[in-house]
Amino acid sequence: MGTPVVLISTCNEDGSANLAPMSSAFWLGWHGVLGLDRTSKTVANIIRTNQCVLNLPSEAQVEAVDRIALTTGSNVLPPHKVARGYRFEKDKFGIAGLTPIASETIDPPRAGECPIQMEAVVERTYNMSECDPAGRGRRVLFELRIQRVFVESSILADGDPNRIDPDKWRPLIMSFQKFYGLADQQAHASRLSQIPEALYKGADLERSRTM
Ligand SMILES: Cc1cc2nc3c(=O)[nH]c(=O)nc-3n(C[C@H](O)[C@H](O)[C@H](O)COP(=O)(O)O)c2cc1C
């Protein structure tokens, strides 16, 4: 419906890295919720390791994201991906042309070119559509806790290293399978933005500082 693209880095069984685009994600404080096709390599890797990096590309990385569309890190493709033209790719960082950079608190690497990178661990895993015989077992939701955030200095608010300036941040948006950016200006003044961001600080932030 028009949501930011996330590039998820995970570790394969042999220690190499996988990278997968997705866009069914939302954020609540220092937690993120992701919706993923259960057959993806990313899901297998997250279930096995409980770790991933959530890299947020801007419009500037759209070609890198598109280069790894229609690929999977699984060497056995499920029938629905065969039918849609997917292929196996082992080195998705290489195909995308993105640079793996060591994370600080977990094993999967960050994607260096992405302006926002978040190291995350699994809080809880939910099976979607359990009451629906047609959908049961097909999708999974991960609730992740962010424990380290890296933000490119060019999108930070002037004079405040702890805030992203939304006038500078241009997330890459996927809407009905097509890529979009954001308009340059706010659509309307925001009453919600009168709330100081400091009031949203919670225990997760303090906890991340101990890691
Ligand atoms: C921009 C974009 C957004 C996508 N969003 C999702 C998504 O939200 N959930 C999902 O399961 N797959 C999504 N996909 C498809 C996955 O990238 C695809 O399942 C891929 O094979 C996963 O890679 P993996 O098997 O190596 O984990 C998206 C693909 C693109 C290019």
Side-chain angles (χ1 to χ4, degrees):
M1 292 287 188
T3 45
V5 175
V6 183
L7 283 176
I8 308 180
S9 327
T10 52
C11 279
N12 297 317
E13 294 85 343
D14 63 3
S16 62
N18 190 43
L19 188 67
M22 63 85 67
S23 57
S24 306
F26 65 87
W27 316 93
L28 283 169
W30 276 52
H31 288 227
V33 179
L34 311 181
L36 288 165
D37 178 335
R38 187 173 267 285
T39 66
S40 71
K41 184 69 180 176
T42 299
V43 167
N45 287 346
I46 294 177
I47 287 175
R48 195 184 66 259
T49 64
N50 281 324
Q51 300 181 339
C52 63
V53 180
L54 307 173
N55 305 281
L56 302 193
S58 74
E59 293 166 39
Q61 284 83 46
V62 65
E63 287 173 10
V65 175
D66 198 44
R67 280 194 287 269
I68 53 170
L70 300 182
T71 68
T72 172
S74 294
N75 52 12
V76 180
L77 273 74
H80 68 276
K81 283 196 176 167
V82 174
R84 292 172 193 180
Y86 277 75
R87 67 178 196 279
F88 166 62
E89 283 293 351
K90 172 82 176 156
D91 178 19
K92 291 208 260 170
F93 266 97
I95 305 263
L98 296 175
T99 312
I101 295 181
S103 291
E104 291 186 358
T105 66
I106 56 175
D107 294 328
R110 300 178 277 131
E113 289 79 0
C114 289
I116 301 177
Q117 307 146 9
M118 295 174 275
E119 298 178 11
V121 293
V122 174
E123 280 277 335
R124 219 177 138 183
T125 304
Y126 305 82
N127 295 315
M128 268 184 80
S129 315
E130 284 205 310
C131 300
D132 171 12
R136 191 181 300 143
R138 291 182 53 199
R139 297 193 187 97
V140 59
L141 297 179
F142 290 113
E143 180 191 344
L144 302 162
R145 178 168 46 79
I146 310 300
Q147 54 183 27
R148 187 70 91 244
V149 180
F150 297 84
V151 179
E152 195 177 278
S153 57
S154 63
I155 62 168
L156 292 175
D158 292 338
D160 189 344
N162 289 320
R163 283 190 55 229
I164 292 172
D165 182 343
D167 282 330
K168 298 178 180 172
W169 168 226
R170 286 290 165 270
L172 179 62
I173 302 294
M174 167 127 292
S175 182
F176 292 93
Q177 303 192 92
K178 295 188 176 168
F179 292 114
Y180 293 87
L182 293 184
D184 279 340
Q185 289 171 348
Q186 293 184 60
H188 194 281
S190 164
R191 290 197 175 121
L192 195 68
S193 75
Q194 294 164 3
I195 302 171
E197 283 192 16
L199 293 185
Y200 292 103
K201 280 182 185 162
D204 286 325
L205 175 59
E206 293 310 319
R207 187 172 170 180
S208 74
R209 291 192 165 129
T210 65
M211 290 169 181

